Amino acid sequence: EAQVTQNPRYLITVTGKKLTVTCSQNMNHEYMSWYRQDPGLGLRQIYYSMNVEVTDKGDVPEGYKVSRKEKRNFPLILESPSPNQTSLYFCASTTWGAGELFFGEGSRLTVL
Amino acid sequence: KQEVTQIPAALSVPEGENLVLNCSFTDSAIYNLQWFRQDPGKGLTSLLLIQSSQREQTSGRLNASLDKSSGRSTLYIAASQPGDSATYLCALRLNTGNQFYFGTGTSLTVIP
């Protein structure tokens, strides 16, 4: 089954404790991206990757890091989380042609 | 920067009614437009993808149209059912750049 898998789905952490949210896709997609979704603000792009070792900032990259060492994986790293990073996070992927965007189930992060 | 607007933010209709959801955008140089459905606390499920060269796409009771000249897309839902209750989002990819732009969604409630 074609899918985008995120882990963990739910996480409560404390300010300053480094965490990583993993994202994996099994569709051989070149393009992968991370979004955060906040009430009233919609989906905002954090980072995206056009292919292995190629990443770029989206609209709200501050406080986040990413890496793309393998085509199927695109982890999101919060080096020192803060309460304003409490949000619902989504990973998505697509073929960079006429393909549709596929989303993971989301990861709800709470930073205390 | 591309602005994507979805009005109304919320809509409540009786079961069986036909309805139209709107998505407006400011930059007509779009590559494709995608409609998604999101259930509370869940990920985004792709409903329809319209390429720039297309005017509409249909899937079952859903029909999406695209008018680049007026900066508008509509999602038509025929014979609405309570199971259609969800938030509907549109997303655009432009001809230039590597990002997707999302509307803030329309929350639909279909009353039995």
Side-chain angles (χ1 to χ4, degrees), chain A residues 6-23 34 46 63-67 74-83 85-87 89 107-112:
Chain A
Q6 298 179 223
N7 281 295
R9 295 287 315 282
Y10 302 91
L11 179 63
I12 300 174
T13 190
V14 295
T15 298
K17 186 176 181 181
K18 180 180 178 179
L19 67 93
T20 299
V21 186
T22 64
C23 175
W34 277 102
I46 303 171
Y64 304 94
K65 285 177 58 178
V66 293
S67 67
F74 190 44
L76 179 69
I77 303 160
L78 286 73
E79 293 270 1
S80 183
S82 62
Q85 292 179 297
T86 293
S87 188
Y89 291 87
S107 296
R108 185 167 293 282
L109 171 65
T110 301
V111 183
L112 302 175

Side-chain angles (χ1 to χ4, degrees), chain A residues 8 16 20 24 35 40 53 79 84-85 87 92 95 99-100 104 106:
Chain A
T20 299
S24 180
Y35 301 86
E53 303 292 0
E79 293 270 1
N84 65 12
Q85 292 179 297
S87 188
T95 55
E100 62 185 292

Side-chain angles (χ1 to χ4, degrees), chain A residues 9 31 35 37 40-43 45 48 50 57-59 88 90 94 96-101 103-105 108, chain B residues 1 31-32 34 36 38 41-47 49 51 89 91 93-94 97-104:
Chain A
R9 295 287 315 282
Y31 184 96
Y35 301 86
Q37 186 177 39
L41 297 177
L43 276 155
Q45 192 167 40
Y48 63 93
M50 298 295 291
K57 298 177 181 178
D59 294 322
L88 180 58
F90 289 102
T94 186
W96 197 243
E100 62 185 292
L101 201 54
F103 277 82
E105 285 291 304
R108 185 167 293 282
Chain B
K1 181 185 173 183
Y31 188 85
N32 62 33
Q34 197 168 351
F36 293 90
Q38 184 178 24
K42 301 284 190 178
L44 280 70
T45 300
S46 179
L47 297 174
L49 172 69
Q51 303 299 336
L89 298 100
R93 180 189 150 193
L94 296 180
N98 301 315
Q99 292 184 252
F100 291 82
Y101 298 91
F102 288 81
T104 50

Side-chain angles (χ1 to χ4, degrees), chain B residues 16-75:
Chain B
E17 191 164 298
N18 301 327
L19 59 101
V20 174
L21 306 180
N22 297 297
C23 173
S24 300
F25 45 91
T26 53
D27 189 336
S28 62
I30 69 169
Y31 188 85
N32 62 33
L33 185 147
Q34 197 168 351
W35 281 93
F36 293 90
R37 169 191 173 131
Q38 184 178 24
D39 293 288
K42 301 284 190 178
L44 280 70
T45 300
S46 179
L47 297 174
L48 289 165
L49 172 69
I50 307 177
Q51 303 299 336
S52 176
S53 59
Q54 298 174 318
R55 294 299 298 263
E56 64 179 280
Q57 280 284 351
T58 298
S59 176
R61 293 183 294 109
L62 306 179
N63 175 275
S65 67
L66 175 63
D67 184 344
K68 292 187 294 181
S69 62
S70 66
R72 187 178 178 205
S73 175
T74 61
L75 179 66

Side-chain angles (χ1 to χ4, degrees), chain A residues 47-73:
Chain A
Y47 271 95
Y48 63 93
S49 170
M50 298 295 291
N51 215 322
V52 176
E53 303 292 0
V54 180
T55 63
D56 209 345
K57 298 177 181 178
D59 294 322
V60 288
E62 296 78 19
Y64 304 94
K65 285 177 58 178
V66 293
S67 67
R68 187 91 181 271
K69 294 182 169 53
E70 302 169 285
K71 195 172 186 179
R72 64 184 291 124
N73 297 323

